[in-house]
Amino acid sequence: MIISMRPHATREEIDHVCERIREFGYKVHSIEGEERVVIGVVGIGDVTPALESLEATPGVERAMAISAPYKFVSKEFKPERTAVKVNGVAIGGDEFITIAGPCSVESEKQIMETAEGVAAAGAKMLRGGAFKPRTSPYDFQGLELEGLKLLRKAKEATGLAILTEVMSDRDVEMVAEYADCMQVGARNMQNFALLKSLGGCGRPVMLKRGMSATLKELLMSAEYVVAHGNPNVILCERGIRTFETYTRNTYDIAAVPSLNELTHLPVMLDPSHAAGKRSLIPALCRAGVAVGADGLVLEVHPCPEKAFSDGAQSLKLTDFAQLMRDLQPYLRLWKEARTPLAHAVA
Ligand code: PEP
Ligand code: MN
């Protein structure tokens, strides 16, 4: 349920409404807004009697049920976009954000060289896995804590915020010490124990869409994190599995405008894992900008042929710098579309 208070409702009126909500046996989840307060309520079962009573309570303008199964991440709950702040970088605001870095953190030299290269080319954050979800148990599994420490060094050298994956609820605390944003990989999108513990991790979460997950399932997973106390969730489309084999996955570009209709959360695109092929990345990035994504997550490696994982889809540093230059005209259009008023005034 959402209880929308009248503009400038008093503190006493708001407290009274919260008290009435609790009397109905429901939980006040969030209280948002300053001039106009909106109270988010978790209510199970038939909420009609509560809605009717609350609508008649002083200070209340409207009491509504949210029909979507994902409540707090839905557009019904919050019609305006949410910008998630990651160490000073706003994802979902009026700047297009590029996050770049290797699939895996491999060595100090590799991560430092990548971090410096992508920062110089305009990336706003550094990605890199210290814990790697690999299909084969015999493949490189990541440097784990040592990898996290190398990411910290790269952050100190470049100022880039760190996006890195957490694979298990057991590692949440350790990863949160080093990460500015916690990545949940496609294979873990429905690891509910992990999602629940990320509710209390104190860091924003980037939730990647499972390779065979529907948008509804993705949003239900996001709802887990938010319902457990963390509203700072960023969604990421990284390609889904279809019958096509030429690309590693199928880049579901329609996910971006679809999610924008369904949720207020930011939506990023990861063309690297979608395509699996370096040659396709620039075109898929242009498409991502055109379709209104909030940013891109790209794999970049100083020497892709020697990468421990995902070399075929990783851009060289020079390719990445070229891509960032080539995207500029598209990014200008993105900005105009994102801030129509500012453009009209200018
Ligand atoms: C990654 O980002 O390197 C990764 C493993 O991605 P995904 O979970 O989307 O496969
Ligand atoms: Mn990868």
Side-chain angles (χ1 to χ4, degrees):
M1 280 183 281
I2 308 173
I3 316 299
S4 186
M5 301 297 292
R6 289 187 205 285
H8 308 291
T10 65
R11 188 73 255 167
E12 289 69 37
E13 285 172 334
I14 297 165
D15 289 346
H16 179 64
V17 168
C18 293
E19 216 174 281
R20 295 285 298 128
I21 290 167
R22 290 189 198 101
E23 279 167 18
F24 274 104
Y26 300 138
K27 193 170 156 239
V28 174
H29 179 271
S30 59
I31 302 180
E32 289 189 37
E34 287 183 5
E35 270 182 32
R36 186 190 289 271
V37 167
V38 176
I39 305 172
V41 184
V42 186
I44 309 160
D46 182 10
V47 294
T48 320
L51 287 176
E52 283 170 2
S53 160
L54 287 164
E55 207 152 57
T57 306
V60 173
E61 186 164 83
R62 268 184 89 194
M64 291 165 288
I66 303 176
S67 57
Y70 37 84
K71 307 289 178 196
F72 299 116
V73 307
S74 72
K75 245 336 235 231
E76 281 175 76
F77 179 63
K78 182 171 179 260
E80 13 5 288
R81 288 174 183 279
T82 291
V84 174
K85 283 247 172 70
V86 182
N87 199 39
V89 176
I91 298 181
D94 50 19
E95 199 187 346
F96 188 87
I97 302 299
T98 304
I99 305 176
C103 180
S104 307
V105 181
E106 299 166 3
S107 68
E108 178 163 348
K109 184 171 179 295
Q110 174 243 20
I111 197 67
M112 296 303 264
E113 208 178 316
T114 312
E116 272 153 19
V118 300
K124 287 284 180 297
M125 284 175 63
L126 177 68
R127 61 146 289 147
F131 291 88
K132 293 305 303 176
R134 304 306 302 279
T135 301
S136 165
Y138 308 114
D139 286 341
F140 176 62
Q141 304 286 307
L143 295 180
E144 304 190 344
L145 181 58
E146 190 195 332
L148 295 174
K149 290 184 176 163
L150 292 177
L151 285 168
R152 173 169 290 169
K153 270 199 170 173
K155 178 181 175 179
E156 283 164 3
T158 59
L160 292 178
I162 302 297
L163 169 70
T164 195
E165 178 158 355
V166 57
M167 282 172 49
S168 156
D169 53 326
R170 289 187 312 257
D171 301 328
V172 165
E173 215 177 308
M174 187 206 317
V175 176
E177 232 187 272
Y178 295 88
D180 295 292
C181 185
M182 313 279 277
Q183 175 175 322
V184 176
R187 291 157 190 80
N188 264 319
M189 189 202 83
Q190 288 187 316
N191 178 341
F192 300 115
L194 175 61
L195 299 176
K196 286 180 193 174
S197 65
L198 288 167
C201 74
R203 296 268 184 250
V205 172
M206 179 177 291
L207 183 61
K208 297 187 87 174
R209 180 182 183 184
M211 58 189 89
S212 52
T214 63
L215 297 179
K216 181 174 164 188
E217 286 163 339
L218 171 64
L219 291 168
M220 292 307 282
S221 290
E223 185 80 8
Y224 259 92
V225 180
V226 178
H228 282 82
N230 187 351
N232 299 312
V233 179
I234 300 151
L235 305 172
C236 181
E237 162 60 41
R238 46 76 74 205
I240 50 174
R241 192 162 273 184
T242 68
F243 50 80
E244 183 54 68
T245 54
Y246 183 69
T247 49
R248 182 177 177 185
N249 289 286
T250 295
Y251 192 48
D252 183 8
I253 199 82
V256 177
S258 304
L259 288 168
N260 285 336
E261 285 181 359
L262 299 170
T263 178
H264 54 88
L265 297 177
V267 183
M268 304 283 282
L269 278 171
D270 170 350
S272 305
H273 290 86
K277 279 187 172 66
R278 183 178 314 124
S279 61
L280 303 180
I281 305 296
L284 301 188
C285 289
R286 293 194 295 272
V289 175
V291 83
D294 291 296
L296 295 165
V297 185
L298 291 169
E299 286 189 339
V300 179
H301 194 285
C303 183
E305 71 174 60
K306 291 193 185 152
F308 292 2
S309 56
D310 288 350
Q313 67 197 34
S314 299
L315 298 173
K316 289 183 277 181
L317 286 164
T318 47
D319 298 337
F320 178 69
Q322 183 66 45
L323 169 67
M324 292 296 273
R325 283 193 291 275
D326 293 346
L327 281 180
Q328 286 312 312
Y330 299 87
L331 290 175
R332 279 195 283 278
L333 293 173
W334 182 94
K335 195 133 184 135
E336 282 175 22
R338 184 57 66 104
T339 47
L341 279 179
H343 178 63
V345 173

